[in-house]
Coordinates of all heavy atoms in Angstrom, one line a residue:
M217 N 9.4 17.1 -26.0 CA 9.4 18.4 -25.4 C 9.5 19.4 -26.5 O 10.3 19.3 -27.4 CB 10.5 18.6 -24.4 CG 10.6 20.0 -23.9 SD 11.8 20.1 -22.6 CE 11.4 18.7 -21.6
L218 N 8.8 20.5 -26.4 CA 8.8 21.6 -27.4 C 9.6 22.7 -26.7 O 9.6 22.9 -25.5 CB 7.4 22.0 -27.7 CG 6.5 20.9 -28.3 CD1 5.1 21.4 -28.4 CD2 7.0 20.4 -29.6
P219 N 10.2 23.6 -27.4 CA 10.4 23.6 -28.9 C 11.6 22.8 -29.4 O 11.9 22.8 -30.5 CB 10.6 25.1 -29.2 CG 11.3 25.6 -28.0 CD 10.7 24.8 -26.8
S220 N 12.4 22.2 -28.4 CA 13.7 21.6 -28.8 C 13.6 20.2 -29.3 O 14.5 19.6 -29.7 CB 14.6 21.6 -27.6 OG 14.0 20.8 -26.5
D221 N 12.4 19.6 -29.2 CA 12.2 18.1 -29.6 C 13.0 17.2 -28.7 O 13.4 16.1 -29.2 CB 12.5 17.9 -31.1 CG 11.4 18.4 -32.0 OD1 10.2 18.4 -31.5 OD2 11.6 18.7 -33.2
T222 N 13.4 17.6 -27.5 CA 14.1 16.8 -26.6 C 13.1 15.7 -26.0 O 12.0 16.1 -25.7 CB 14.6 17.7 -25.4 OG1 15.5 18.7 -26.0 CG2 15.4 16.8 -24.4
E223 N 13.6 14.5 -26.0 CA 12.8 13.4 -25.3 C 13.7 12.8 -24.3 O 14.9 12.6 -24.4 CB 12.4 12.4 -26.4 CG 11.4 12.9 -27.4 CD 10.9 11.7 -28.3 OE1 11.1 10.6 -27.9 OE2 10.4 12.1 -29.3
F224 N 13.0 12.4 -23.2 CA 13.7 11.6 -22.1 C 12.7 10.8 -21.3 O 11.5 11.2 -21.3 CB 14.6 12.5 -21.2 CG 13.9 13.6 -20.6 CD1 13.2 13.5 -19.3 CD2 13.8 14.9 -21.2 CE1 12.6 14.5 -18.7 CE2 13.2 15.9 -20.5 CZ 12.5 15.7 -19.3
D225 N 13.2 9.8 -20.7 CA 12.3 8.9 -19.9 C 12.1 9.4 -18.5 O 13.1 10.0 -17.9 CB 12.9 7.5 -19.9 CG 12.9 6.8 -21.3 OD1 12.0 7.1 -22.1 OD2 13.9 6.1 -21.6
V226 N 11.0 9.2 -17.9 CA 10.7 9.5 -16.5 C 10.3 8.3 -15.8 O 9.4 7.6 -16.2 CB 9.6 10.6 -16.4 CG1 9.4 11.0 -15.0 CG2 10.0 11.8 -17.2
A227 N 11.1 7.9 -14.8 CA 10.8 6.7 -14.0 C 9.6 6.9 -13.1 O 9.2 8.0 -12.7 CB 12.0 6.3 -13.2
D228 N 9.0 5.8 -12.6 CA 7.9 5.9 -11.7 C 8.3 6.7 -10.4 O 9.4 6.4 -9.9 CB 7.5 4.5 -11.2 CG 6.7 3.7 -12.3 OD1 6.3 4.4 -13.2 OD2 6.5 2.5 -12.1
G229 N 7.5 7.6 -10.0 CA 7.8 8.4 -8.8 C 8.8 9.5 -9.0 O 9.1 10.2 -8.1
E230 N 9.3 9.7 -10.2 CA 10.3 10.7 -10.5 C 9.6 11.9 -11.1 O 8.7 11.8 -11.9 CB 11.3 10.1 -11.5 CG 12.6 10.9 -11.6 CD 13.6 10.2 -12.6 OE1 13.1 9.6 -13.6 OE2 14.7 10.2 -12.3
S231 N 10.1 13.1 -10.7 CA 9.5 14.3 -11.3 C 10.2 14.5 -12.7 O 11.3 14.0 -13.0 CB 9.8 15.5 -10.4 OG 11.2 15.9 -10.4
V232 N 9.5 15.4 -13.5 CA 10.1 15.7 -14.8 C 11.5 16.4 -14.6 O 12.4 16.0 -15.3 CB 9.1 16.7 -15.5 CG1 9.8 17.2 -16.8 CG2 7.8 16.0 -15.8
F233 N 11.6 17.2 -13.6 CA 12.9 17.9 -13.4 C 14.0 16.9 -13.0 O 15.1 17.0 -13.5 CB 12.7 18.9 -12.3 CG 13.9 19.7 -11.9 CD1 14.4 20.7 -12.7 CD2 14.5 19.4 -10.7 CE1 15.6 21.4 -12.3 CE2 15.7 20.1 -10.3 CZ 16.2 21.1 -11.1
E234 N 13.6 16.0 -12.1 CA 14.6 15.0 -11.6 C 15.1 14.1 -12.8 O 16.2 13.8 -13.0 CB 14.0 14.1 -10.5 CG 13.8 14.8 -9.2 CD 12.9 14.0 -8.3 OE1 12.2 13.1 -8.7 OE2 12.9 14.3 -7.1
A235 N 14.1 13.7 -13.6 CA 14.4 12.9 -14.8 C 15.3 13.6 -15.8 O 16.3 13.0 -16.3 CB 13.1 12.4 -15.5
A236 N 15.0 14.9 -16.0 CA 15.8 15.7 -16.9 C 17.3 15.7 -16.4 O 18.2 15.5 -17.2 CB 15.2 17.1 -17.1
R237 N 17.5 16.0 -15.2 CA 18.8 16.1 -14.6 C 19.5 14.8 -14.7 O 20.7 14.8 -15.0 CB 18.8 16.7 -13.2 CG 18.4 18.1 -13.2 CD 18.3 18.6 -11.8 NE 19.4 18.2 -10.9 CZ 19.7 18.8 -9.8 NH1 19.1 19.8 -9.4 NH2 20.7 18.3 -9.1
R238 N 18.8 13.7 -14.4 CA 19.5 12.4 -14.4 C 20.0 12.0 -15.7 O 21.0 11.3 -15.9 CB 18.5 11.4 -13.9 CG 18.9 9.9 -13.9 CD 17.9 9.0 -13.3 NE 16.6 9.0 -13.9 CZ 16.3 8.5 -15.0 NH1 17.2 7.8 -15.7 NH2 15.0 8.5 -15.5
Q239 N 19.3 12.5 -16.8 CA 19.7 12.2 -18.2 C 20.5 13.3 -18.9 O 20.5 13.3 -20.1 CB 18.4 11.8 -18.9 CG 17.8 10.5 -18.3 CD 16.4 10.2 -18.9 OE1 16.3 9.6 -19.9 NE2 15.4 10.6 -18.1
G240 N 21.0 14.2 -18.1 CA 21.9 15.2 -18.7 C 21.2 16.3 -19.5 O 21.7 16.9 -20.4
V241 N 19.9 16.5 -19.1 CA 19.2 17.6 -19.8 C 19.1 18.8 -18.8 O 18.7 18.6 -17.7 CB 17.7 17.1 -20.1 CG1 16.9 18.2 -20.7 CG2 17.8 15.9 -21.1
R242 N 19.6 19.9 -19.3 CA 19.6 21.1 -18.5 C 18.1 21.7 -18.4 O 17.5 21.9 -19.5 CB 20.5 22.2 -19.1 CG 20.5 23.5 -18.3 CD 21.1 24.6 -19.0 NE 20.9 25.9 -18.4 CZ 19.8 26.6 -18.4 NH1 18.8 26.2 -19.2 NH2 19.7 27.7 -17.8
W243 N 17.6 21.8 -17.2 CA 16.3 22.4 -17.0 C 16.4 23.6 -16.2 O 17.0 23.5 -15.1 CB 15.4 21.4 -16.4 CG 13.9 21.7 -16.5 CD1 13.2 22.8 -15.9 CD2 13.0 21.1 -17.3 NE1 11.9 22.8 -16.2 CE2 11.7 21.8 -17.1 CE3 13.0 20.0 -18.2 CZ2 10.6 21.4 -17.8 CZ3 11.9 19.6 -18.8 CH2 10.7 20.3 -18.7
P244 N 15.9 24.8 -16.6 CA 16.1 26.0 -15.8 C 15.6 25.9 -14.4 O 14.5 25.4 -14.1 CB 15.3 27.1 -16.6 CG 15.3 26.5 -18.0 CD 15.2 25.0 -17.8
S245 N 16.4 26.3 -13.4 CA 16.0 26.2 -12.0 C 17.0 27.1 -11.2 O 18.2 27.2 -11.5 CB 16.1 24.8 -11.5 OG 16.0 24.7 -10.1
I246 N 16.5 27.6 -10.1 CA 17.4 28.3 -9.1 C 17.4 27.4 -7.8 O 18.5 27.2 -7.2 CB 16.9 29.7 -8.8 CG1 17.1 30.6 -10.0 CG2 17.7 30.3 -7.6 CD1 16.4 31.9 -9.9
C247 N 16.3 26.9 -7.4 CA 16.2 26.2 -6.1 C 16.5 24.7 -6.2 O 16.5 24.0 -5.2 CB 14.8 26.4 -5.5 SG 13.5 25.4 -6.3
Q248 N 16.8 24.2 -7.4 CA 17.1 22.8 -7.7 C 16.1 21.8 -7.2 O 16.4 20.7 -6.7 CB 18.5 22.5 -7.0 CG 19.6 23.4 -7.4 CD 19.8 23.5 -8.9 OE1 19.8 22.5 -9.6 NE2 19.9 24.7 -9.5
G249 N 14.8 22.2 -7.4 CA 13.7 21.3 -7.1 C 13.0 21.4 -5.8 O 12.2 20.6 -5.4
D250 N 13.3 22.5 -5.1 CA 12.7 22.7 -3.7 C 11.4 23.5 -3.8 O 10.9 23.9 -2.7 CB 13.7 23.3 -2.8 CG 14.8 22.4 -2.4 OD1 14.6 21.2 -2.5 OD2 15.9 22.9 -2.0
M251 N 10.8 23.7 -4.9 CA 9.6 24.5 -5.1 C 9.6 25.9 -4.5 O 8.7 26.3 -3.9 CB 8.4 23.7 -4.6 CG 7.1 24.1 -5.2 SD 5.7 23.1 -4.9 CE 5.6 23.1 -3.1
E252 N 10.8 26.5 -4.6 CA 10.9 27.9 -4.1 C 11.0 28.9 -5.2 O 10.6 30.1 -5.0 CB 12.2 27.9 -3.2 CG 12.1 27.1 -2.0 CD 13.3 27.1 -1.2 OE1 14.3 27.7 -1.6 OE2 13.3 26.5 -0.1
C253 N 11.6 28.5 -6.4 CA 11.9 29.6 -7.4 C 10.8 29.7 -8.5 O 10.6 30.8 -9.0 CB 13.2 29.2 -8.1 SG 13.2 27.8 -9.1
G254 N 10.1 28.6 -8.8 CA 9.1 28.7 -9.9 C 9.7 28.7 -11.3 O 9.0 28.7 -12.2
I255 N 11.0 28.8 -11.4 CA 11.7 28.9 -12.7 C 11.5 27.6 -13.5 O 11.6 27.7 -14.7 CB 13.2 29.1 -12.5 CG1 13.4 30.4 -11.7 CG2 14.0 29.2 -13.8 CD1 12.9 31.7 -12.3
C256 N 11.2 26.5 -12.9 CA 11.1 25.2 -13.7 C 9.7 25.1 -14.4 O 9.5 24.0 -15.0 CB 11.3 24.1 -12.7 SG 10.0 23.9 -11.5
H257 N 8.9 26.1 -14.4 CA 7.6 26.0 -15.0 C 7.6 25.5 -16.4 O 8.6 25.7 -17.1 CB 6.8 27.4 -14.9 CG 7.5 28.4 -15.8 ND1 7.4 28.5 -17.1 CD2 8.3 29.4 -15.4 CE1 8.1 29.5 -17.6 NE2 8.7 30.1 -16.5
M258 N 6.6 24.8 -16.8 CA 6.4 24.3 -18.2 C 4.9 24.4 -18.5 O 4.1 24.4 -17.6 CB 6.9 22.8 -18.2 CG 6.1 21.9 -17.3 SD 6.8 20.2 -17.3 CE 5.6 19.4 -16.2
Q259 N 4.7 24.4 -19.8 CA 3.3 24.4 -20.3 C 3.0 23.0 -20.9 O 3.7 22.5 -21.8 CB 3.1 25.4 -21.4 CG 2.8 26.8 -20.9 CD 3.8 27.3 -19.8 OE1 4.9 27.4 -20.1 NE2 3.3 27.6 -18.6
V260 N 1.9 22.4 -20.4 CA 1.6 21.0 -20.8 C 0.7 21.1 -22.1 O -0.3 21.8 -22.1 CB 0.8 20.3 -19.7 CG1 0.4 18.9 -20.2 CG2 1.6 20.3 -18.4
H261 N 1.2 20.5 -23.2 CA 0.5 20.5 -24.5 C -0.3 19.3 -24.7 O -1.4 19.4 -25.2 CB 1.5 20.7 -25.6 CG 2.0 22.1 -25.8 ND1 2.1 22.6 -27.1 CD2 2.3 23.1 -25.0 CE1 2.4 23.9 -27.0 NE2 2.6 24.2 -25.7
D262 N 0.2 18.1 -24.3 CA -0.5 16.9 -24.5 C -0.2 16.0 -23.3 O 0.9 16.0 -22.8 CB -0.1 16.1 -25.8 CG -0.5 16.9 -27.0 OD1 -1.8 17.2 -27.1 OD2 0.3 17.1 -27.9
G263 N -1.2 15.1 -22.9 CA -1.0 14.1 -21.9 C -1.2 14.6 -20.5 O -0.7 14.0 -19.6
A264 N -1.9 15.7 -20.3 CA -2.1 16.2 -18.9 C -2.7 15.2 -18.0 O -2.4 15.2 -16.8 CB -3.0 17.5 -19.0
E265 N -3.5 14.2 -18.6 CA -4.1 13.2 -17.7 C -3.0 12.2 -17.2 O -3.3 11.5 -16.3 CB -5.1 12.4 -18.5 CG -4.6 11.6 -19.7 CD -4.3 12.3 -21.0 OE1 -4.4 13.6 -21.0 OE2 -4.0 11.7 -22.0
N266 N -1.8 12.3 -17.7 CA -0.7 11.4 -17.3 C 0.2 12.1 -16.2 O 1.2 11.6 -15.9 CB 0.1 11.0 -18.4 CG -0.6 10.0 -19.4 OD1 -1.5 9.3 -18.9 ND2 -0.4 10.2 -20.7
L267 N -0.2 13.3 -15.8 CA 0.5 14.0 -14.7 C -0.1 13.8 -13.4 O -1.4 13.7 -13.2 CB 0.6 15.5 -15.1 CG 1.5 15.9 -16.2 CD1 1.2 17.4 -16.5 CD2 2.9 15.6 -15.9
S268 N 0.7 13.8 -12.3 CA 0.2 13.8 -11.0 C -0.7 15.1 -10.8 O -0.5 16.1 -11.5 CB 1.3 13.8 -10.0 OG 2.2 14.9 -10.2
A269 N -1.5 15.0 -9.8 CA -2.4 16.2 -9.5 C -1.5 17.3 -9.0 O -0.5 17.1 -8.3 CB -3.4 15.8 -8.4
C270 N -2.0 18.5 -9.3 CA -1.3 19.7 -8.8 C -1.7 20.0 -7.4 O -2.9 20.2 -7.1 CB -1.7 20.9 -9.7 SG -0.8 22.5 -9.3
S271 N -0.7 20.0 -6.5 CA -1.0 20.2 -5.1 C -1.3 21.7 -4.8 O -1.0 22.6 -5.6 CB 0.2 19.8 -4.2 OG 1.3 20.8 -4.4
N272 N -1.9 22.0 -3.7 CA -2.2 23.4 -3.3 C -0.9 24.2 -3.2 O -0.9 25.4 -3.6 CB -2.9 23.5 -2.0 CG -4.4 23.0 -2.1 OD1 -4.9 22.9 -3.2 ND2 -4.9 22.6 -1.0
A273 N 0.1 23.6 -2.7 CA 1.4 24.3 -2.6 C 2.0 24.6 -4.0 O 2.5 25.7 -4.2 CB 2.4 23.4 -1.8
E274 N 1.9 23.7 -4.9 CA 2.4 23.9 -6.3 C 1.5 25.0 -6.9 O 2.1 25.9 -7.5 CB 2.3 22.7 -7.1 CG 2.8 22.9 -8.5 CD 2.7 21.7 -9.4 OE1 2.3 20.6 -8.9 OE2 3.0 21.8 -10.6
A275 N 0.2 24.9 -6.8 CA -0.7 26.0 -7.3 C -0.4 27.3 -6.8 O -0.4 28.4 -7.5 CB -2.1 25.6 -7.1
D276 N -0.1 27.4 -5.5 CA 0.3 28.7 -4.9 C 1.6 29.2 -5.4 O 1.7 30.4 -5.7 CB 0.4 28.5 -3.3 CG -0.9 28.3 -2.6 OD1 -1.9 28.6 -3.3 OD2 -0.9 27.9 -1.5
R277 N 2.6 28.3 -5.7 CA 3.8 28.8 -6.2 C 3.7 29.3 -7.7 O 4.2 30.3 -8.1 CB 4.9 27.7 -6.2 CG 6.3 28.1 -6.6 CD 6.8 29.2 -5.6 NE 7.9 29.9 -6.1 CZ 7.8 31.0 -6.8 NH1 6.6 31.5 -7.2 NH2 8.9 31.7 -7.2
I278 N 2.9 28.5 -8.4 CA 2.6 28.9 -9.8 C 1.9 30.3 -9.9 O 2.2 31.2 -10.7 CB 1.7 27.9 -10.6 CG1 2.5 26.6 -10.8 CG2 1.2 28.4 -11.9 CD1 1.7 25.4 -11.2
A279 N 1.0 30.5 -8.9 CA 0.2 31.8 -8.9 C 1.1 33.0 -8.7 O 0.8 34.1 -9.0 CB -0.8 31.7 -7.8
Q280 N 2.3 32.8 -8.1 CA 3.3 33.9 -7.9 C 4.2 34.1 -9.1 O 5.0 35.1 -9.1 CB 4.1 33.5 -6.7 CG 3.4 33.3 -5.4 CD 4.3 32.7 -4.3 OE1 5.5 32.8 -4.4 NE2 3.6 32.2 -3.3
G281 N 4.1 33.3 -10.1 CA 5.0 33.4 -11.2 C 4.5 34.1 -12.5 O 3.3 34.5 -12.6
L282 N 5.3 34.2 -13.5 CA 5.0 34.8 -14.7 C 3.9 34.1 -15.6 O 3.2 34.7 -16.4 CB 6.2 35.0 -15.6 CG 7.3 35.9 -15.0 CD1 8.6 35.8 -15.9 CD2 6.8 37.3 -14.9
K283 N 3.8 32.8 -15.4 CA 2.9 32.0 -16.2 C 1.6 31.7 -15.4 O 0.9 30.7 -15.7 CB 3.5 30.7 -16.6 CG 4.8 30.9 -17.5 CD 4.4 31.5 -18.8 CE 5.7 31.6 -19.7 NZ 5.4 32.1 -21.0
A284 N 1.3 32.5 -14.4 CA 0.2 32.2 -13.5 C -1.2 32.1 -14.3 O -2.1 31.4 -13.9 CB 0.1 33.2 -12.4
S285 N -1.3 32.9 -15.3 CA -2.6 33.0 -16.0 C -2.8 31.8 -17.0 O -3.9 31.7 -17.5 CB -2.7 34.3 -16.8 OG -1.7 34.4 -17.7
D286 N -1.8 31.0 -17.2 CA -2.0 29.9 -18.1 C -2.3 28.6 -17.3 O -1.5 28.1 -16.6 CB -0.6 29.7 -18.9 CG -0.7 28.6 -19.9 OD1 -1.7 27.8 -19.9 OD2 0.1 28.6 -20.8
P287 N -3.6 28.1 -17.5 CA -4.0 26.9 -16.8 C -3.2 25.7 -17.1 O -3.3 24.7 -16.3 CB -5.5 26.7 -17.2 CG -5.6 27.4 -18.5 CD -4.6 28.5 -18.5
A288 N -2.4 25.7 -18.2 CA -1.6 24.5 -18.5 C -0.2 24.5 -17.8 O 0.6 23.6 -18.1 CB -1.4 24.4 -20.0
T289 N 0.0 25.5 -17.0 CA 1.3 25.6 -16.3 C 1.5 24.6 -15.2 O 0.6 24.5 -14.4 CB 1.5 27.0 -15.8 OG1 1.5 28.0 -16.9 CG2 2.9 27.2 -15.1
R290 N 2.6 23.9 -15.1 CA 2.9 23.1 -14.0 C 4.4 23.3 -13.7 O 5.1 23.8 -14.5 CB 2.8 21.6 -14.4 CG 1.3 21.1 -14.6 CD 0.5 21.1 -13.3 NE 1.1 20.4 -12.2 CZ 0.9 19.1 -12.0 NH1 0.1 18.4 -12.8 NH2 1.5 18.5 -11.0
L291 N 4.8 22.9 -12.5 CA 6.2 23.0 -12.1 C 6.9 21.6 -12.4 O 6.4 20.6 -11.9 CB 6.4 23.3 -10.6 CG 5.8 24.7 -10.2 CD1 6.0 24.8 -8.7 CD2 6.5 25.8 -11.0
A292 N 7.9 21.6 -13.2 CA 8.6 20.4 -13.5 C 9.1 19.6 -12.3 O 9.3 18.4 -12.3 CB 9.7 20.6 -14.5
C293 N 9.4 20.4 -11.2 CA 10.0 19.7 -10.0 C 8.9 19.0 -9.2 O 9.2 18.3 -8.3 CB 10.8 20.7 -9.2 SG 9.8 21.9 -8.4
Q294 N 7.6 19.3 -9.5 CA 6.5 18.7 -8.8 C 5.7 17.7 -9.6 O 5.1 16.7 -9.1 CB 5.6 19.8 -8.3 CG 6.3 20.8 -7.4 CD 7.0 20.1 -6.2 OE1 6.3 19.4 -5.5 NE2 8.2 20.4 -6.0
A295 N 5.7 17.9 -10.9 CA 4.9 17.0 -11.8 C 5.5 15.6 -12.0 O 6.7 15.6 -12.4 CB 4.7 17.7 -13.1
R296 N 4.8 14.6 -11.7 CA 5.2 13.2 -11.9 C 4.3 12.5 -12.9 O 3.2 12.8 -13.0 CB 5.2 12.5 -10.5 CG 6.2 13.2 -9.6 CD 6.1 12.6 -8.2 NE 6.8 13.5 -7.2 CZ 8.1 13.6 -7.1 NH1 8.9 12.9 -7.9 NH2 8.6 14.5 -6.3
L297 N 4.9 11.7 -13.7 CA 4.2 11.1 -14.9 C 3.8 9.7 -14.7 O 4.5 8.9 -14.0 CB 5.1 11.2 -16.1 CG 5.2 12.5 -16.9 CD1 5.7 13.6 -16.0 CD2 6.0 12.3 -18.1
S298 N 2.7 9.3 -15.3 CA 2.3 7.9 -15.4 C 2.1 7.5 -16.8 O 1.6 6.4 -17.1 CB 0.9 7.8 -14.6 OG 0.0 8.6 -15.2
G299 N 2.5 8.4 -17.8 CA 2.4 8.1 -19.2 C 3.0 9.2 -20.0 O 3.5 10.2 -19.4
P300 N 2.9 9.1 -21.3 CA 3.5 10.1 -22.2 C 2.9 11.5 -22.0 O 1.7 11.7 -21.9 CB 3.3 9.6 -23.6 CG 2.9 8.2 -23.5 CD 2.3 8.1 -22.1
V301 N 3.8 12.5 -22.0 CA 3.4 13.9 -21.9 C 4.2 14.8 -22.8 O 5.4 14.5 -23.0 CB 3.5 14.4 -20.4 CG1 3.2 15.9 -20.3 CG2 2.6 13.6 -19.5
T302 N 3.7 15.7 -23.5 CA 4.4 16.7 -24.3 C 4.3 18.1 -23.6 O 3.2 18.5 -23.3 CB 3.9 16.8 -25.7 OG1 4.0 15.5 -26.3 CG2 4.7 17.8 -26.5
V303 N 5.4 18.7 -23.3 CA 5.4 20.0 -22.7 C 6.2 21.0 -23.5 O 7.1 20.6 -24.3 CB 6.0 19.9 -21.2 CG1 5.1 19.0 -20.4 CG2 7.4 19.5 -21.2
L304 N 6.0 22.3 -23.2 CA 6.8 23.4 -23.8 C 7.6 24.0 -22.7 O 7.0 24.4 -21.7 CB 5.8 24.4 -24.5 CG 6.5 25.7 -24.9 CD1 7.5 25.5 -26.0 CD2 5.4 26.7 -25.3
R305 N 8.9 24.1 -22.9 CA 9.7 24.8 -22.0 C 11.0 25.3 -22.7 O 11.8 24.5 -23.2 CB 10.2 23.9 -20.8 CG 11.0 24.7 -19.8 CD 10.3 25.9 -19.2 NE 10.9 26.5 -18.1 CZ 11.6 27.6 -18.2 NH1 11.8 28.3 -19.4 NH2 12.2 28.2 -17.1
K306 N 11.1 26.6 -22.9 CA 12.3 27.2 -23.5 C 13.4 27.1 -22.6 O 13.3 27.1 -21.3 CB 12.0 28.6 -23.9 CG 11.0 28.8 -25.0 CD 10.7 30.2 -25.4 CE 9.7 30.3 -26.4 NZ 9.3 31.7 -26.7
G307 N 14.6 26.9 -23.1 CA 15.8 26.9 -22.3 C 16.3 25.5 -21.9 O 17.3 25.4 -21.2
V308 N 15.5 24.5 -22.3 CA 15.9 23.1 -22.0 C 16.8 22.6 -23.1 O 16.5 22.8 -24.3 CB 14.6 22.2 -21.8 CG1 15.0 20.8 -21.7 CG2 13.8 22.7 -20.6
R309 N 17.9 22.0 -22.7 CA 18.8 21.4 -23.7 C 19.6 20.3 -23.2 O 19.9 20.3 -22.0 CB 19.7 22.5 -24.3 CG 20.7 23.1 -23.4 CD 21.6 24.1 -24.1 NE 22.6 24.5 -23.2 CZ 22.6 25.5 -22.3 NH1 21.4 26.1 -22.2 NH2 23.6 25.8 -21.6
Q310 N 20.0 19.4 -24.0 CA 20.9 18.3 -23.7 C 22.3 18.8 -23.5 O 22.8 19.5 -24.3 CB 20.9 17.2 -24.8 CG 21.6 16.0 -24.4 CD 20.7 15.0 -23.6 OE1 19.5 14.9 -23.8 NE2 21.3 14.4 -22.6
I311 N 22.9 18.5 -22.3 CA 24.2 19.0 -22.1 C 25.3 17.9 -22.0 O 26.5 18.2 -21.9 CB 24.3 19.8 -20.8 CG1 23.7 19.1 -19.6 CG2 23.5 21.1 -21.0 CD1 23.9 19.8 -18.2
T312 N 24.9 16.6 -22.0 CA 25.8 15.5 -21.9 C 25.5 14.5 -23.0 O 24.4 14.5 -23.5 CB 25.9 14.8 -20.6 OG1 24.6 14.3 -20.3 CG2 26.4 15.8 -19.5
Ligands
FES219 S1 13.0 24.0 -9.5 FE1 12.5 25.7 -8.3 S2 10.3 25.6 -8.2 FE2 10.8 23.9 -9.4

């Protein structure tokens, strides 16, 4: 993960946000993964093919946010992985 070089594992069926929290990584959020706040947005730099498809509901939530014009934007609470991915998200840090 950029810019902090934080790395963590994501289990099958787990979202990026859930995996971060499970491993003591602070990920910005207000709604705690309920797809209401949009604060968990991230920019996908590499490995987009390893992310779950963006649902219409996720796309609608992204369209309401500050990063709406960036096609690489995904919500960490919705994106699930099937392989390595590199993303950019400021404010993410290891807390434990
Ligand atoms: S954590 Fe609020 S929309 Fe993802």
